[in-house]
């Protein structure tokens, strides 16, 4: 006879057990689905935002599976607000051990990211120096760059020819070209649904910068204010594509013929070339004002290790294995899905896909006009400039007033970061 | 005597103690059952509502950037800072206006739908389901449908396609705040999602109105239609109306999902919760200031609710009206 059969399982005791299990289940459910495996050995969790290129999620999971020293699970976070999921998670026990993001000083000052100098220093010289610089604070390197993502304008040469338009060299010429390219079926340009993707290029193309070398505001200049006024003119012209179902990072609006020009990243190049063949060209953000210069955004993603996690050493080992040692995976990640520029010089130099045609032109724009991440330019400051675009370009307020409002927010942030 | 004795013996004396035991057992069971049923939920309420609320009040008095375990006490500085933030105060004003519009509109629409499905003589269940089903759709999913299919700005968006039949050019519904078409998108979405739920509440209340009232009114010469509705139906729905308006007001101030998904990187049409989310999570990571804003918003909702309750008599008994 089993022990179970000796118990007096009355209806009441069954009910109590069920209620207890319900309570336990309710509490347990709150901590479930952490993405952590239950196997033995080190268990690591990594966060990735959802890349648009087909095959990327499978690739990241394949790399993780190939790592034998720990059980690495991936949280592939969809939606457009990766940081809104990442930052709160970093404050909890269920924080990822490893995550991708952009270099931002507040992650360092708040002690959220681990110093990775010891794993990067041996191969430091093989990295793009600008990428190393953008991840360095007080001589310590806090992240490993995975990919560099230049962003520029894509255009259709055939439509330019038809409208008798040259590749614009200045913002005025861009506005003129957009007006001429617009027909009843095709809008002249698409700068993203909220226009914020071009906020930094506008600043750089006006000869300014986000912050200067002393970490002071450098974006509030007359040329930037004038540029915002010109963007407002473009916004109200009726020739800009607005409210597209897929936003700027997706080339659909361009490949579906909704727009003649689109601001997008190099990652979309294979898809665009597949859809449009040779009828594609690229150009940097044109000059703004008399002291203007061309500019290209060098976006990209880096790997960081959660310094407050339980598995810092194991996480560093994994990052070293995947993003320092495994050159084949790094090349696969940069070039097999979308096109990205590998931050490792040795990989970039051997990447035949980037050696000719449009990709080579993208690399050239990246090298000549690219602006890398500034680690001191944080999320709160980015949001302040988002508001400038919203208030002056989309809402029609005074650019100078909008920039002054941003100054207040950015200065408050700078004071908190640098004292 | 013997008869008396027999009668005494025949009394169902043993039944009394047995009954008493049963009542004691029931009382004991009732207490136990109360805790068994409510305990888990009470624990959940304490852990997930009251503790975070208390922690939020605590955080609001501390410098808490990038941490929820702060050490630097700063008094009311976070309250001053959030009240000095024009985005937050502006959101409170915007949403008072929004609430003033959406509450009566939803009330009228849901009552109208309830009257319709209450009186309809054919396919009653079908129409009730049709109006109620949107309630089951998530705000995020609905916002994406509204944004990407119906109210996108390209020529093949549903709204723009219909407008093009009348020769109207593409409208950028959400990107352009001037004219503020984004309110049309938000209001239609909210009405679609909410009206069905409140319709059910009104429907239940309508079914509880005694038919005799209408019969008596008819005998007294009341005309069916507006007169009956004005003098019988509407007063009978007073308690439900009050509850519906209260729920709608709270829902208006708790608006988040559709605004977050429809108006990204906008400075207009931002509800207080979106502003607080931006302050506390993601961009600024200032949990102290975000918590101060949450306390202010809670107090505001409390005051409005009490004020509304006083005006409409929520919670008062029938006799006191």
């Amino acid at each position: 006879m089993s022990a179970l059969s000796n118990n007096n399982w009355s209806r009441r005791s069954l009910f109590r057990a069920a209620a207890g299990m319900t309570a336990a289940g309710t509490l347990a459910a709150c901590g479930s689905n952490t993405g952590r495996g239950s196997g033995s050995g080190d268990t690591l969790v990594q966060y990735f935002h959802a890349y648009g290129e087909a095959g990327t999620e499978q690739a990241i999971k394949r790399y993780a599976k190939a790592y034998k020293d720990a059980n690495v699970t991936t949280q592939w976070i969809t939606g457009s607000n990766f940081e809104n999921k990442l930052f709160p998670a970093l404050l909890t026990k269920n924080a990822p051990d490893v995550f991708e993001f952009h270099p931002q000083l507040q992650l360092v000052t708040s002690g959220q990211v681990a110093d990775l100098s010891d794993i990067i220093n041996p191969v430091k010289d093989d990295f793009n120096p600008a990428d190393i610089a953008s991840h360095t604070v007080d001589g310590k390197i806090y992240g490993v760059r995975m990919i560099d993502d230049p962003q520029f304008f894509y255009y259709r040469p055939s439509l330019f020819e038809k409208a008798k338009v040259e590749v614009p060299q200045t913002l005025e010429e861009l506005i003129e070209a957009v007006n001429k390219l617009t027909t009843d079926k095709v809008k002249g340009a698409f700068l993203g649904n909220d226009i914020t993707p071009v906020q930094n290029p506008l600043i750089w193309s006006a000869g300014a910068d986000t912050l200067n070398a002393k970490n002071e505001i450098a974006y509030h200049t007359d040329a930037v204010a004038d540029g915002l006024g010109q963007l407002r003119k473009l916004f109200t012209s009726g020739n800009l594509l607005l409210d597209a179902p897929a936003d700027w990072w997706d080339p659909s609006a361009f490949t579906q013929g909704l727009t003649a020009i689109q601001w997008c990243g190099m990652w979309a190049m294979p898809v665009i070339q597949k859809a449009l063949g040779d009828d594609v060209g690229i150009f940097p953000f044109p000059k703004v004002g008399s002291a203007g210069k061309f500019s290209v955004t060098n976006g990209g993603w880096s790997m960081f290790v959660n310094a407050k996690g339980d598995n810092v050493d194991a996480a560093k080992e994994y990052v070293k294995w995947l993003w320092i040692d495994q050159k084949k995976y790094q090349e696969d990640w940069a070039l097999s899905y979308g096109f990205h520029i590998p931050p490792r010089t040795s990989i970039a130099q051997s990447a035949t896909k980037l050696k000719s045609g449009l990709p080579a032109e993208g690399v050239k724009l990246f090298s000549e006009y690219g602006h890398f991440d500034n680690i001191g330019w944080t999320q709160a400051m980015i949001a302040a400039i988002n508001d400038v675009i919203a208030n002056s370009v989309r809402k029609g307020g005074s650019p100078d007033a909008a920039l002054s409002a941003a100054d207040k927010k950015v200065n408050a942030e700078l004071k908190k970061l640098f004292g | 005597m013997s008869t008396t004795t027999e009668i005494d013996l025949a009394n169902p004396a043993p039944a009394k103690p047995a009954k008493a035991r049963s009542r004691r057992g029931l009382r004991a069971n009732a207490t136990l059952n109360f805790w068994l049923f409510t305990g888990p939920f009470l624990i959940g309420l304490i852990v997930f509502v009251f503790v975070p609320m208390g922690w939020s009040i605590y955080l609001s008095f501390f410098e808490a950037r990038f941490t929820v375990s702060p050490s630097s006490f700063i008094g009311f500085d976070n309250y001053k800072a959030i009240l000095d933030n024009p985005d937050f105060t502006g959101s409170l004003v915007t949403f008072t206006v929004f609430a003033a519009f959406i509450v009566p509109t939803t009330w009228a629409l849901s009552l109208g739908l309830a009257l319709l499905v209450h009186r309809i003589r054919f396919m009653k269940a079908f129409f009730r389901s049709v109006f109620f089903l949107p309630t089951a759709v998530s705000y995020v999913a609905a916002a994406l449908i509204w944004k990407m299919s119906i109210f996108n700005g390209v020529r093949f968006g549903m709204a723009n396609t219909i407008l093009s039949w009348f020769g109207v050019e593409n409208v950028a519904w959400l990107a352009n705040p001037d004219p503020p078409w984004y309110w049309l998108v938000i209001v239609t979405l909210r009405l679609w999602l909410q009206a069905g739920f409140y319709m059910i509440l009104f429907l239940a209340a309508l079914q509880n109105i005694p038919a005799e009232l209408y019969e008596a009114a008819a005998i007294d010469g009341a005309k069916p239609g507006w007169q009956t509705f004005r003098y019988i139906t509407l007063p009978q729905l007073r308690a439900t109306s009050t509850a519906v308006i209260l729920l709608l007001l709270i829902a208006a101030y708790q608006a988040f999902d559709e605004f977050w998904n429809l108006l990204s990187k906008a400075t207009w049409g931002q509800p207080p919760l979106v502003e607080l989310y931006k302050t506390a999570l993601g961009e600024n990571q200032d949990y102290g200031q975000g918590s101060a804003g949450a306390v202010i918003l809670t107090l505001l909702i409390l005051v409005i609710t009490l004020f509304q309750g006083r005006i409409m008599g929520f919670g008062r008994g029938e006799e006191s009206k």
Side-chain angles (χ1 to χ4, degrees):
Chain A
M1 232 178 178
S2 72
L4 183 67
S5 63
N6 288 330
N7 285 337
N8 181 15
W9 285 96
S10 64
R11 276 182 301 171
R12 189 178 299 164
S13 59
L14 273 171
F15 176 72
R16 280 176 188 156
M21 284 170 72
T22 307
T26 305
L27 293 173
C30 304
S32 68
N33 192 23
T34 62
R36 289 171 197 278
S38 56
S40 59
D42 285 322
T43 299
L44 301 174
V45 175
Q46 58 177 354
Y47 273 20
F48 272 79
H49 83 285
Y51 286 67
E53 301 93 285
T56 45
E57 184 180 1
Q58 292 77 7
I60 278 295
K61 289 180 175 169
R62 192 172 66 247
Y63 309 153
K65 201 175 174 188
Y67 186 61
K68 300 297 173 205
D69 292 343
N71 173 25
V72 183
T73 56
T74 305
Q75 292 224 7
W76 192 255
I77 296 168
T78 54
S80 57
N81 297 290
F82 178 64
E83 62 270 20
N84 292 113
K85 295 179 180 72
L86 172 68
F87 288 164
L90 286 174
L91 299 175
T92 70
K93 273 282 168 199
N94 287 328
D97 300 290
V98 178
F99 59 91
E100 63 165 6
F101 202 61
H102 316 290
Q104 295 208 336
L105 190 57
Q106 85 277 6
L107 293 172
V108 177
T109 55
S110 58
Q112 287 179 323
V113 291
D115 174 12
L116 303 183
S117 307
D118 54 338
I119 63 169
I120 299 172
N121 275 333
V123 288
K124 190 176 159 185
D125 293 343
D126 192 33
F127 274 91
N128 185 323
D131 278 328
I132 292 291
S134 67
H135 293 70
T136 304
V137 178
D138 296 332
K140 294 176 181 169
I141 307 168
Y142 285 90
V144 183
R145 195 62 155 182
M146 298 183 295
I147 42 173
D148 282 317
D149 286 330
Q151 294 158 32
F152 29 61
F153 282 114
Y154 286 87
Y155 73 101
R156 297 273 299 275
S158 63
L159 297 179
F160 271 48
E161 205 177 318
K162 200 172 161 191
K164 296 183 173 52
V165 171
E166 296 294 319
V167 172
Q169 305 294 305
T170 64
L171 187 55
E172 287 97 331
E173 287 179 17
L174 176 70
I175 293 168
E176 206 179 317
V178 168
N179 294 343
K180 285 183 182 170
L181 287 161
T182 301
T183 66
D184 58 341
K185 297 275 183 211
V186 181
K187 291 284 185 185
F190 181 43
L191 311 182
N193 282 332
D194 54 28
I195 324 289
T196 58
V198 297
Q199 64 191 30
N200 276 14
L202 176 83
I203 291 168
W204 295 320
S205 281
D209 204 344
T210 49
L211 298 175
N212 63 21
K214 292 179 187 166
N215 288 312
E216 297 163 337
I217 287 171
Y219 58 78
H220 194 159
T221 67
D222 290 344
V224 171
D226 289 347
L228 289 167
Q230 285 177 280
L231 267 192
R232 170 68 184 170
K233 219 164 84 181
L234 180 60
F235 182 78
T236 54
S237 68
N239 299 327
L240 214 52
L241 181 66
L242 300 168
D243 277 348
D247 213 342
W248 68 281
W249 57 80
D250 185 315
S252 309
F254 187 61
T255 55
Q256 288 172 1
L258 291 171
T259 180
I261 302 172
Q262 178 175 338
W263 183 264
C264 196
M266 194 159 142
W267 57 82
M269 206 174 264
V271 174
I272 292 173
Q273 285 185 306
K274 195 177 171 192
L276 303 173
D278 292 336
D279 190 20
V280 190
I282 53 174
F283 63 91
F285 198 93
K287 297 169 186 173
V288 179
S290 53
K293 37 194 163 185
F294 297 122
S295 70
V296 163
T297 303
N298 279 343
W301 293 89
S302 314
M303 286 312 292
F304 297 92
V305 169
N306 173 13
K308 294 177 179 171
D310 295 332
N311 307 301
V312 176
D313 290 336
K316 280 173 76 172
E317 278 303 312
Y318 172 64
V319 169
K320 180 180 178 298
W321 175 82
L322 180 53
W323 299 111
I324 305 283
D325 301 337
Q326 301 299 315
K327 283 192 169 184
K328 61 175 180 178
Y329 289 152
Q330 292 163 42
E331 188 172 349
D332 179 63
W333 182 240
L335 298 161
S336 297
Y337 310 98
F339 281 168
H340 312 263
I341 297 177
R344 299 285 289 275
T345 314
S346 56
I347 301 174
Q349 281 174 349
S350 65
T352 49
K353 286 179 180 173
L354 302 179
K355 294 261 185 261
S356 59
L358 204 58
E361 212 175 319
V363 174
K364 190 165 170 264
L365 291 182
F366 164 84
S367 310
E368 288 180 12
Y369 309 119
H371 288 261
F372 285 74
D373 285 320
N374 178 345
I375 197 165
W377 188 245
T378 64
Q379 207 65 31
M381 300 180 200
I382 294 167
I385 304 299
N386 289 165
D387 286 355
V388 170
I389 296 289
N391 289 333
S392 64
V393 177
R394 294 166 71 194
K395 207 174 176 182
S398 149
D400 196 52
L403 287 167
S404 296
D407 292 350
K408 208 175 151 190
K409 294 176 191 169
V410 173
N411 274 326
E413 187 70 5
L414 287 170
K415 198 177 169 194
K416 283 172 184 167
L417 286 172
F418 301 105
Chain B
M1 280 298 286
S2 64
T3 310
T4 309
T5 307
E6 274 172 13
I7 290 168
D8 282 346
L9 285 171
N11 274 345
K16 269 190 169 179
K19 250 187 164 176
R21 267 200 307 276
S22 169
R23 277 202 298 275
R24 273 201 303 275
L26 196 64
R27 274 201 295 274
N29 278 347
T31 308
L32 180 67
N33 290 343
F34 170 80
W35 285 110
L36 280 173
F37 274 108
T38 58
F41 301 101
L42 193 63
I43 291 168
L45 194 68
I46 291 167
V47 172
F48 300 112
V49 177
F50 293 124
V51 169
M53 275 174 73
W55 195 251
S56 186
I57 293 167
Y58 172 80
L59 281 177
S60 70
F61 296 105
F62 283 81
E63 166 78 29
R65 274 170 61 84
F66 307 104
T67 179
V68 286
S69 311
S71 55
S72 171
F73 181 80
I74 54 168
F76 284 92
D77 284 5
N78 281 326
Y79 288 87
K80 283 180 206 155
I82 195 83
L83 287 171
D84 195 36
N85 179 350
D87 293 339
F88 179 70
T89 46
S91 74
L92 293 176
V93 175
T94 303
F95 266 73
T96 303
V97 176
F98 173 69
F101 175 78
I102 197 75
V103 171
T105 313
T106 314
W107 176 86
L109 181 67
S110 51
L111 177 58
L113 288 175
L115 289 167
L116 190 75
V117 297
H118 183 56
R119 290 182 183 177
I120 203 162
R121 292 181 188 281
F122 57 96
M123 296 175 76
K124 201 174 239 188
F126 171 78
F127 283 109
R128 284 181 187 186
S129 305
V130 163
F131 293 132
F132 181 70
L133 272 178
T135 306
V137 179
S138 91
Y139 272 70
V140 176
L144 292 178
I145 293 167
W146 250 245
K147 182 182 183 175
M148 297 171 86
S149 304
I150 302 173
F151 289 106
N152 66 42
V154 299
R155 61 175 187 270
F156 48 73
M158 192 192 285
N160 279 339
T161 302
I162 292 167
L163 287 178
S164 71
W165 297 341
F166 302 97
V168 179
E169 283 208 5
N170 284 356
V171 175
W173 300 98
L174 294 165
N176 197 343
D178 183 27
W181 288 120
Y182 60 92
W183 278 123
L184 179 76
V185 183
I186 288 166
V187 166
T188 52
L189 173 67
R190 192 154 255 257
L191 285 174
W192 185 71
L193 285 168
Q194 286 195 145
F197 174 73
Y198 296 105
M199 174 198 80
I200 293 293
L201 298 188
F202 277 123
L203 196 57
L206 282 171
Q207 287 168 347
N208 277 337
I209 300 174
E212 291 82 4
L213 279 177
Y214 291 103
E215 286 163 13
I219 291 165
D220 288 346
K223 291 173 194 162
W226 171 248
Q227 209 172 35
T228 314
F229 174 75
R230 167 75 181 81
Y231 292 104
I232 298 190
T233 310
L234 211 51
Q236 288 294 314
L237 294 177
R238 186 190 167 98
T240 308
S241 281
T242 307
V244 165
I245 289 169
L246 179 75
L247 292 172
L248 282 169
L249 260 176
I250 294 170
Y253 274 94
Q254 287 183 332
F256 178 83
D257 295 10
E258 74 269 43
F259 291 88
W260 181 258
N261 285 287
L262 290 174
L263 296 175
S264 62
K265 292 175 188 169
T267 54
W268 49 87
Q270 298 291 281
L273 282 194
V274 168
E275 287 302 334
L276 293 181
Y277 189 69
K278 284 180 179 175
T279 304
L281 303 159
E283 289 155 3
N284 294 311
Q285 292 275 290
D286 194 335
Y287 295 92
Q289 214 179 108
S291 296
V295 172
I296 292 168
L297 186 62
T298 307
L299 290 174
L300 185 73
I301 294 175
L302 189 71
V303 167
I304 289 173
T305 306
L306 290 174
F307 180 71
Q308 189 245 349
R310 190 162 180 83
I311 298 284
M312 298 196 69
F314 185 71
R316 265 186 251 153
E318 283 297 318
E319 68 283 355
S320 64
K321 284 176 194 169

